[in-house]
Amino acid sequence: MSGLTSALDSMASTLLAMDAGIGLLVAVGISMSASHLFALLANRLSPRQIAFHMLIDALVLSLALTLGILCHSLMLLLIEGVPPQPIALANRMLAALWPGLFYVLVAAPYVSDLIAVSLLGWMHLNVLLLLQARYGVPLAEGLLVSAPGFSLALVLIALLFAQRWRASYNTLAKEVGG
């Protein structure tokens, strides 16, 4: 058990040392939107249309993650009494999102759901570790603090993905059937 604790502490200190910045948030959004690239290519969209779809998706996904981080800030205030400083919290929490850079791998057939769940779980674990390392929030309370923001971000991401995939497959079905 002490080995797990030391590994989590080491992971938390590494995350604290990362200089994330807003670029990481946009990069994660681009990686997430790139997982739709094959569906966009299958619909024979022009490069300009593909770039437009990916840019809009990346911005909306980045916004969903930002809203989740703002929700973390509110929950820290309500549960832990930590005064909300959303910009400082966002800068600290962005380091937790780096596994999302690999979200483009979700486009892989057959294992896409496993990859998506693993990456999102890893990001959530990083948030828990940062809450513990930066604010002294125990892991059990960290789940309570981070669950609403994480859930909000997941719902927004799922809604965007469901809408985009449905539209892509409907277009493809029309072309194949027609």
Side-chain angles (χ1 to χ4, degrees), residues 56-67:
I56 296 300
D57 284 353
L59 293 175
V60 171
L61 290 165
S62 298
L63 178 64
L65 294 170
T66 303
L67 289 174

Side-chain angles (χ1 to χ4, degrees), residues 1-10:
M1 189 61 155
S2 67
L4 177 62
T5 304
S6 65
L8 290 175
D9 287 341
S10 171

Side-chain angles (χ1 to χ4, degrees), residues 43-66:
N43 284 311
R44 295 185 213 126
L45 296 178
S46 70
R48 180 180 295 156
Q49 290 172 315
I50 290 173
F52 177 75
H53 281 284
M54 289 183 62
L55 178 66
I56 296 300
D57 284 353
L59 293 175
V60 171
L61 290 165
S62 298
L63 178 64
L65 294 170
T66 303

Side-chain angles (χ1 to χ4, degrees), residues 8 11-12 15 28 32 65 68-69 71-72 75 93-100 103 115-132 137-154 157:
L8 290 175
M11 218 168 128
L15 289 170
V28 169
M32 292 177 113
L65 294 170
I69 289 171
C71 193
H72 294 333
M75 292 302 291
M93 288 295 135
L94 286 176
L97 301 179
W98 75 266
Y103 206 86
I115 292 172
V117 169
S118 299
L119 290 174
L120 292 171
W122 191 359
M123 289 174 11
H124 191 64
L125 175 64
N126 285 346
V127 168
L128 294 174
L129 292 174
L130 283 171
L131 287 173
Q132 182 182 25
V137 177
L139 290 176
E141 288 180 29
L143 281 172
L144 186 60
V145 168
S146 63
F150 191 68
S151 299
L152 174 66
L154 283 180
I157 290 168

